[in-house]
Amino acid sequence: MIGIIPAAGKGVRFKELGKHYSKTILPYKEKPILIHQIEWLEQHGCNDIRVVLNHAEDTVKDIIAFYNKNVTICRQSSPNGLAGAVLSAAKIEDKDENVLVLLGDLVVQEQINQDMFGTSFISVKEVNDYSRWCMVETDADGYCNRFIDKPKDRPNTNLSVSGVYHFTNADKLFKMLSNQLSDDSYKIAGEFQLSTVLQWLSEEEYMCTINLQMIDFGTLEEYLENRSVKISRSFNDIYIDGPFITKSSEQEREKIIKECNWFMNLPDEIAVRTPRIFAKDLFAARTWYKMEKVKAPSVREIYLFLDSSEETWDTLFESMFAQLDVMKSYGHPNNFMKTVIDKTKSRVKDIEIPIENKLVNEFIEDFESAIISICPRPALMHGDYCFSNLLYDFNGNITMIDPRGELFGDHYYDVAKICHSILFDYDFVDAELYVKEGSTYRLYNKGKENIKKLFSEKINKYYSKDEQEYILLICASLFLSMIPLHSHNRNNQEIYYNIFKEIYLRVKDDF
């Protein structure tokens, strides 16, 4: 059986991420979507798998080579629609082989009964928004008799084609597609759709429908929703109820208490930059607090997926530093950085991956010396001032969520949190937007070079060389101390250790 994956789309609905990567290679459960698809086709007997490309071909080819998959790359030279993509996979020698087509933005979660492959079929699902789909009408026995592609008026069916197609004769399929593409009158909304050939086939042979459980990654919103990335940490639960969010925990009650108290004790000038707290119970067995749900994306979402424009990021960085400057004005002497050293020493003992103990010990000594030699900057501190904990409304307003809990700490620590997000790709690793080969890894971080350059200019503007090196040491400590917290993902741990080494070795000689 021939397996075909049409993956030639430009991913315009994936915004910034889609400019640099084909959506079919984005990670899902630690593997690119495409690899899930290839393996599903292999499981169904496809010994000739063809991937149709047009956009970001090199990145797709790299992924296929990385996973050592034996597939054929076909090119859709003209973006003329799904029918054109499938026809681009045709070969002269194709005769009576079965063909199984799987759209490039789907992951199918169940197997098809082998008995089904004696007939042509399509997968279907029920939908309400009929105008977005190719709808299909069936007879009483479930066989297709009419296809209506993106109808303007509601059809007499709620079944849509969902993305898996099986044909019993490759030669017949490709001849029909060739006839369709030779006549522009068959275009629908300017493209050749597969529904035209589906209609022709259904008039010549029985074509049945099947229901398959699958995950659709057709848009950025669907990708983010379906990736199974948790919105809460392991020690707490999050409950969303309309305009409210409730955070609770039995396992780590003290952490919830510290977070709530941080919000409740802020000066007004800072409190307006956080969600409102409406209710709390800090004495219950399951400690909780209820806060406002802020309708703004996180800076992480903006950075990874939404906007890489210099205009947006110049305003965003200025807002970040202005907010930290206000918090610095409420500084109070404290020994926070000593607790950072103690935490780093403690967590190093829990690291289970191989590390260079001599190098780590040298780092801790240099870090301790730097804390003594650099004049501290006491500040009202968020403590986890990274991209995932900052919400931004695109009007210069930043809202802080998920604080560390200590009210007072060190200004440089919050700056280091921004650095570890922007300069050292923490968010790409934490979001598992990478693939790894041996001891090397590849991040999905194309298109961020100008943002990093802009941030470096801001750092040079606000901080001296000595301050910057101190901030980098704090960054190194962040990655080192994160390693035992990511025991669920050894890849993350190894990457964090490599980043720690990269940062420390950059500044080591000055100490």
Side-chain angles (χ1 to χ4, degrees), residues 359-374:
L359 183 72
V360 170
N361 291 334
E362 288 176 358
F363 162 74
I364 292 175
E365 291 176 6
D366 285 341
F367 192 25
E368 285 182 300
S369 298
I371 290 174
I372 295 171
S373 62
I374 297 291

Side-chain angles (χ1 to χ4, degrees), residues 460-482:
N460 289 331
K461 174 182 174 182
Y462 293 119
Y463 301 97
S464 69
K465 182 176 183 294
D466 287 344
E467 288 176 308
Q468 291 181 46
E469 290 182 342
Y470 179 50
I471 291 167
L472 287 177
L473 285 176
I474 298 174
C475 273
S477 76
L478 293 175
F479 283 103
L480 185 63
S481 61
M482 267 190 283

Side-chain angles (χ1 to χ4, degrees), residues 386-405:
C386 57
F387 284 1
S388 58
N389 295 334
L390 304 175
L391 311 180
Y392 185 63
D393 67 357
F394 289 91
N395 292 312
N397 301 308
I398 293 175
T399 301
M400 296 180 286
I401 61 173
D402 287 348
R404 177 183 168 116

Side-chain angles (χ1 to χ4, degrees), residues 112 157 170 215 293 317 436 454 486:
I112 299 174
T157 178
I215 301 176
K293 179 183 178 183
F317 288 144
K436 191 168 180 291
L454 180 63
H486 283 249

